[in-house]
């Protein structure tokens, strides 16, 4: 990929990070209407607050500017009350919000917070079902609690449990949590179902369904992408037993992407191509493929080429330009689909979409080794 293309895309995204820092408002940026660029915020970070900190940690890495590091640190500390949240999605908060600061800058406060978040996850582990369930406070519309699981419970959570395996003894929990989610959510053909109900006494599957996809048998784009990312995080920690699962889940994505390399919100929406895209799912998958390209040598060329093609399309077709004819702020990743079932943020900028596009750009420009995050 051309250096000038990458530099220009990074510059646009940094401009948007600066604009977000300067935008008045309390709480973590959550999703925004590209027209005005105004963020809807979450006071306590919902499941997405860590991605805002993660963007700032990465901006600090790319630029060396202490402003971003100070902001990342300050925003991360605001996540501390969430250590005890009864939501498995706090894995997202403390991996992207805190562990990145520890890994990239050896920030001691970020490390403490990351360990606290990991302990908070461990406290939710069910020894009977051998996984961490969604929990009663999981940020979903319905069907949460001790007998529900989502594939979105892998990224971050797996990274934290494996990172602190030696310190906290959490590595076997990570393996079990991942094995169970593969059994509950990954179909034989490598496609991923978002959600499952299980028997809390033994973890056995009761039914598969979805919180955010089009129907219970569909492949919601972010389900596939989160699955790829969780598996990539396990392989980054040399958990080679998950290699074949990672290949079949990632291959499914590569083989089902539309020709223009940007996913629709659900692979089974009968209205395709006249329906919503999900640029955030595409960005998550690109970031996962860039990790897997290094971890699975025999798929390296295929996964890297797909990730590059997706990133090129996201930047050239969906990232708002610097242009006097375009009234929108530059550097907004448009066409993310938050929750089409309840019609929230269906053609919006999503903070995690920004994060994963930015991560991918920094991997492609050589700033970041993909498996570190
Ligand atoms: N719960 C994670 C997502 O909506 O992608």
């Amino acid at each position: 990929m051309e250096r000038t293309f990458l530099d220009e895309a990074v510059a646009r995204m940094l401009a948007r990070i600066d604009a977000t820092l300067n935008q008045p408002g309390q709480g973590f940026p959550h999703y925004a209407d590209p027209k005005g660029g105004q963020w809807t915020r979450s006071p306590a970070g919902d499941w997405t607050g860590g991605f805002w900190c993660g963007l700032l940690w990465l901006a600090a890495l790319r630029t060396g500017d202490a402003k971003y590091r100070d902001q990342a640190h300050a925003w991360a500390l605001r996540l501390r009350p969430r250590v005890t949240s009864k939501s498995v999605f706090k894995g997202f908060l403390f991996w992207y919000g805190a562990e990145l600061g520890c890994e990239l800058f050896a920030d001691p406060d970020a490390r403490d917070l990351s360990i606290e978040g990991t302990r908070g996850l461990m406290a939710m582990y069910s020894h009977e079902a051998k996984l961490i369930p969604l929990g009663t406070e999981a940020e979903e519309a319905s069907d949460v609690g001790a007998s529900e699981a989502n594939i979105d419970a892998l990224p971050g959570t797996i990274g934290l449990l494996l990172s602190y395996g030696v310190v906290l003894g959490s590595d076997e929990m990570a393996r079990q949590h991942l094995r169970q989610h593969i059994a509950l959510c990954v179909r034989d053909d490598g496609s991923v179902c978002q959600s499952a109900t299980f028997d809390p006494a033994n973890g056995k599957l009761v039914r598969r369904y979805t919180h955010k996809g089009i129907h219970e048998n569909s492949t919601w784009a972010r389900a596939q992408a989160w699955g790829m990312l969780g598996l990539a995080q396990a392989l980054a920690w040399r958990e080679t037993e998950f290699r074949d699962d990672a290949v079949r889940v990632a291959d499914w994505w590569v083989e089902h992407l539309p020709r223009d390399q940007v996913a629709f919100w659900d692979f089974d929406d009968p209205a395709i191509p006249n329906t919503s895209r999900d640029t955030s799912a595409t960005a998550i998958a690109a970031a996962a493929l860039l990790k897997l390209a290094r971890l699975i040598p025999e798929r390296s060329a295929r996964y890297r080429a797909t990730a590059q093609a997706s990133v090129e399309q996201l930047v050239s077709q969906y990232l708002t330009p610097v242009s006097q004819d375009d009234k929108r702020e530059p550097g907004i990743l448009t066409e993310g689909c938050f929750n089409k079932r309840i019609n929230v943020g269906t053609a919006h900028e999503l903070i995690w979409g920004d994060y994963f596009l930015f991560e991918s750009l920094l991997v492609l420009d050589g700033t970041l080794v993909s498996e570190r995050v």
Side-chain angles (χ1 to χ4, degrees), residues 3-13 62 315 319 321-322:
R3 182 83 215 182
T4 47
F5 177 89
L6 293 169
D7 284 349
E8 196 277 332
V10 166
R12 265 189 275 164
M13 295 201 78
R62 179 59 159 73
V315 169
L319 193 67
V322 181

Side-chain angles (χ1 to χ4, degrees), residues 144-356:
V144 294
S147 56
E148 309 300 324
N150 266 25
I151 197 77
D152 353 347
L154 296 182
T157 296
I158 290 298
L160 288 169
L161 294 174
L162 290 174
S163 294
Y164 292 104
V166 174
V167 179
L168 301 178
S170 50
D171 44 355
E172 192 50 27
M173 276 185 194
R175 289 180 203 112
Q176 294 288 17
H177 183 69
L178 184 46
R179 284 181 198 125
Q180 273 295 70
H181 280 79
I182 293 167
L184 294 171
C185 297
V186 180
R187 306 185 187 101
D188 290 346
D189 68 353
S191 66
V192 178
C193 178
Q194 185 192 4
S195 311
T197 301
F198 57 87
D199 181 342
N202 55 27
K204 290 221 168 83
L205 178 67
V206 173
R207 66 166 182 141
R208 284 185 174 149
Y209 66 103
T210 183
H211 282 89
K212 295 202 182 107
I214 194 163
H215 60 69
E216 61 184 19
N217 298 317
S218 76
T219 302
W220 176 56
R222 284 215 298 286
Q224 196 74 27
W226 290 133
M228 290 160 66
L229 186 60
L231 285 157
Q233 285 187 348
L235 291 198
W237 283 91
R238 299 193 172 75
E239 296 293 334
T240 50
E241 84 167 77
F242 301 106
R243 185 197 164 284
D244 291 352
D245 292 311
V247 167
R248 70 195 173 99
V249 171
D251 279 358
W252 192 96
W253 176 273
V254 171
E255 284 155 19
H256 290 79
L257 258 187
R259 285 168 72 94
D260 66 5
Q261 309 294 311
V262 177
F264 292 95
W265 75 286
D266 190 302
F267 285 91
D268 293 295
D269 186 344
I272 288 173
N274 301 311
T275 190
S276 307
R277 300 281 183 161
D278 187 1
T279 55
S280 78
T282 309
I284 297 163
L289 287 172
L290 288 171
K291 297 180 207 304
L292 293 171
R294 285 171 54 92
L295 298 163
I296 305 176
E298 55 284 27
R299 288 291 199 281
S300 179
R302 183 182 209 207
Y303 290 169
R304 194 170 165 93
T306 304
Q308 282 193 358
S310 288
V311 168
E312 259 180 56
Q313 284 294 311
L314 290 177
V315 169
S316 59
Q317 304 300 321
Y318 296 93
L319 193 67
T320 51
V322 181
S323 159
Q324 290 190 335
D325 300 334
D326 195 320
K327 297 285 171 265
R328 298 170 300 179
E329 249 179 48
I332 293 177
L333 181 60
T334 62
E335 302 294 331
C337 184
F338 190 173
N339 192 335
K340 201 164 168 80
R341 285 170 83 97
I342 56 170
N343 202 28
V344 171
T346 56
H348 282 64
E349 180 184 26
L350 307 173
I351 193 68
W352 64 95
D354 289 355
Y355 171 83
F356 286 106

